[in-house]
Amino acid sequence: MVNLILYGTESSPSVRAVLLTLRALKLDHEFHTLDMQAGDHLKPDMLRKNPQHTVPMLEDGESCIWDSHAIIGYLVNKYAQSDELYPKDPLKRAVVDQRLHFETGVLFHGIFKQLQRALFKENATEVPKDRLAELKDAYALLEQFLAENPYVAGPQLTIADFSIVATVSTLHLSYCPVDAAKYPKLSAWLARISALPFHEEDNLRGARLLADKIRSKLPKQFDKLWQKAFEDIKSGAGKQ
Ligand SMILES: N[C@@H](CCC(=O)N[C@@H](CS)C(=O)NCC(=O)O)C(=O)O
């Protein structure tokens, strides 16, 4: 009997990486929604459990684990029937770990958080050009990661795909749609992951919520571009 409680909000990309992993592993869990605007994550009880006050935070019995990457690795290590999603082989694991660190350092903290700061703290009215350039560099790197394989860390689906898709789908639907002509492999990968039966409920729904909030701050002339991004993710444009 699994006794897992996940704390967070479904709009958070990091939370969605955990939801995708829980679903892939078919693990029963409770989801406790935290109202981040109201500061639920800063309440004394939550700070006792996670002094870093980030979501996702997973409670497993007496233990509290935070940081999505630590959580998803833990879930596979502890509960998976096989090591497919997080291979034990040292070299294969190193590739998955590299992709997970890429998500943390480059995609999430290096780009996504900076974009969020520009828009929601510094009240920028358009996507800063230097950040957009960094994002396109990151898309180009992902295109290279996917050059020879259908998934970001090799021939099979791993937790690195869950971590990266949660952030990339949000970026695709908000700040910068993945252009299938420039990044055909990345676009095809996005479509491939989108075809997973649980992707809509565990990732896209929350990604849309956050993307709508982001786009409401950005100029309306890009709406057509984003409309296309929404359609592409459904139709699997660029599939190869
Ligand atoms: N690298 C962390 C990022 C977590 C993170 O920054 N989450 C945001 C929501 S997307 C958060 O909790 N922000 C509130 C805070 O930092 O107080 C992870 O993967 O879990």
Side-chain angles (χ1 to χ4, degrees):
M1 152 94 183
V2 179
N3 189 16
L4 299 171
I5 304 175
L6 179 65
Y7 294 84
T9 164
E10 72 170 334
S11 62
S12 156
S14 316
V15 170
R16 286 184 264 118
V18 179
L19 289 172
L20 286 165
T21 306
L22 285 164
R23 181 78 74 164
L25 295 174
K26 300 189 175 66
L27 290 174
D28 285 339
H29 62 278
E30 283 173 32
F31 186 69
H32 287 198
T33 300
L34 296 185
D35 182 344
M36 309 292 282
Q37 307 277 22
D40 283 357
H41 59 309
L42 301 172
K43 290 190 172 150
D45 185 45
M46 289 311 296
L47 286 177
R48 239 190 330 273
K49 292 175 177 172
N50 171 9
Q52 208 178 333
H53 52 77
T54 50
V55 297
M57 204 275 288
L58 181 80
E59 213 170 77
D60 185 0
E62 298 294 302
S63 309
C64 294
I65 303 152
W66 64 93
D67 190 284
S68 60
H69 312 85
I71 296 172
I72 60 183
Y74 168 81
L75 287 172
V76 178
N77 286 336
K78 181 150 183 202
Y79 294 111
Q81 310 276 342
S82 80
D83 70 347
E84 233 172 89
L85 286 172
Y86 194 31
K88 288 200 173 84
D89 172 82
L91 193 56
K92 287 184 184 159
R93 178 158 290 203
V95 178
V96 175
D97 287 341
Q98 186 278 322
R99 301 322 191 224
L100 294 175
H101 287 291
F102 177 79
E103 196 286 330
T104 304
V106 177
L107 290 174
F108 189 87
H109 289 281
I111 297 174
F112 176 72
K113 273 239 165 171
Q114 305 307 322
L115 287 167
Q116 291 290 84
R117 174 172 301 145
L119 220 58
F120 292 96
K121 294 222 165 92
E122 293 156 8
N123 289 318
T125 51
E126 56 182 35
V127 184
K129 286 202 171 47
D130 50 347
R131 296 287 174 216
L132 202 54
E134 285 168 7
L135 178 51
K136 288 181 179 169
D137 285 349
Y139 283 172
L141 277 170
L142 285 165
E143 184 73 11
Q144 287 186 46
F145 296 167
L146 290 158
E148 315 240 307
N149 286 299
Y151 298 103
V152 293
Q156 69 195 33
L157 182 75
T158 66
I159 53 173
D161 293 286
F162 295 152
S163 179
I164 291 178
V165 81
T167 307
V168 167
S169 57
T170 308
L171 292 162
H172 172 71
L173 296 174
S174 57
Y175 292 106
C176 180
V178 172
D179 181 345
K182 277 197 197 131
Y183 314 104
K185 303 270 182 195
L186 180 57
S187 169
W189 168 82
L190 206 47
R192 194 169 299 124
I193 305 293
S194 300
L196 293 173
F198 47 84
H199 185 249
E200 170 67 38
E201 190 179 336
D202 294 323
N203 183 43
L204 271 189
R205 196 174 61 195
R208 281 199 200 95
L209 285 176
L210 181 54
D212 284 346
K213 205 171 140 206
I214 294 167
R215 283 183 297 110
S216 71
K217 304 274 278 176
L218 290 169
K220 294 282 164 273
Q221 77 251 32
F222 296 124
D223 273 6
K224 276 207 178 112
L225 207 62
W226 286 312
Q227 192 51 44
K228 186 171 173 324
F230 277 90
E231 283 157 16
D232 279 358
I233 220 168
K234 274 205 155 70
S235 68
K239 225 173 195 160
Q240 335 189 299

